[in-house]
Amino acid sequence: MSKKKITVDFRFRDKLNKVQGGKHHNYCYQCSACVAVCPAARFTKNFNPRIILLKALLGMEEELIGENSAIWLCTNCYSCYERCPQDVRPIEVIISLKNMAVERRTAPPNLTKLSENIGKTGVSVTVTSAVRRMRQELGLPELKDIPIEELQTILGEQEPQIFQEEEKNDK
Ligand code: SF4
Ligand code: SF4
């Protein structure tokens, strides 16, 4: 029976090392403490932070930042950050991977639309007159106008930061 060989893709790992929050993946020793506290792993068998870290250690680029990656099932709850004995900060590694996927344009279309909406309007859902009316009926305060130009300036400044360390190192 032929055995499937696994080759570590160090090129992808180098790339991940240079993304903000990515380099801590190197410290993972696969203990599974993060899995024990992960609500997403409890909810679905398709997501497991230890496996995400294992794939990062193996440099499995397509599995991690290709289309339909499991990374998008993470709820960003930060429980794993607290629990990991190795200071891997799994959530931050996952956010780095998400940022890489966005750069590659492989993020789920609904999330891309959501973030575009935030960039344009400052909110994730459209605030219609019906929403405003309902808030009034519920006794909720009026929504404040969002300083959209300030937000767009911040977002514009944030955009190139993903590979900032790489750029610095290249100089
Ligand atoms: S990320 Fe931390 S808690 Fe999770 S398997 Fe690796 S070392 Fe263990
Ligand atoms: S941040 Fe993500 S990976 Fe970490 S415990 Fe929460 S859902 Fe799981």
Side-chain angles (χ1 to χ4, degrees):
M1 198 172 78
S2 67
K3 287 183 185 162
K4 197 181 167 199
K5 283 187 191 154
I6 293 177
T7 313
V8 179
D9 182 351
F10 289 103
R11 183 200 52 84
F12 178 71
R13 287 185 62 182
D14 278 349
K15 219 162 138 189
L16 180 57
N17 283 339
K18 287 168 187 155
V19 180
Q20 183 112 19
K23 66 173 179 249
H24 283 237
H25 83 274
N26 296 288
Y27 311 142
C28 177
Y29 58 12
Q30 294 287 292
C31 69
S32 274
C34 53
V35 185
V37 292
C38 176
R42 220 173 301 148
F43 181 73
T44 170
K45 285 191 177 13
N46 297 330
F47 181 79
N48 179 317
R50 182 188 66 77
I51 301 289
I52 299 286
L53 265 298
L54 178 61
K55 287 179 178 173
L57 289 167
L58 294 171
M60 297 171 77
E61 179 168 4
E62 279 312 307
E63 294 264 340
L64 291 169
I65 62 168
E67 277 170 18
N68 303 316
S69 167
I71 57 172
W72 300 100
L73 295 168
C74 167
T75 65
N76 289 19
C77 73
Y78 271 79
S79 302
C80 53
Y81 185 108
E82 302 289 330
R83 183 57 72 93
C84 176
Q86 276 290 94
D87 196 28
V88 171
R89 309 173 187 178
I91 172 59
E92 295 198 343
V93 176
I94 291 168
I95 289 173
S96 313
L97 292 166
K98 285 179 178 175
N99 284 332
M100 291 171 89
V102 169
E103 286 267 305
R104 240 185 93 166
R105 301 188 189 281
T106 50
N110 56 337
L111 292 180
T112 306
K113 186 123 191 54
L114 191 92
S115 63
E116 280 172 2
N117 219 23
I118 293 171
K120 278 187 207 143
T121 64
V123 289
S124 56
V125 289
T126 312
V127 182
T128 59
S129 52
V131 170
R132 289 187 192 278
R133 210 170 37 247
M134 221 184 296
R135 288 182 65 88
Q136 215 172 17
E137 282 165 16
L138 292 167
L140 294 169
E142 282 274 315
L143 288 171
K144 289 185 188 153
D145 285 338
I146 292 164
I148 201 70
E149 279 179 17
E150 278 178 41
L151 177 73
Q152 284 171 348
T153 305
I154 293 165
L155 291 174
E157 283 169 5
Q158 292 292 319
E159 220 176 334
Q161 283 184 1
I162 296 178
F163 291 109
Q164 207 178 37
E165 277 183 52
E166 186 175 34
E167 282 167 17
K168 254 189 278 167
N169 293 341
D170 287 346
K171 280 179 189 161

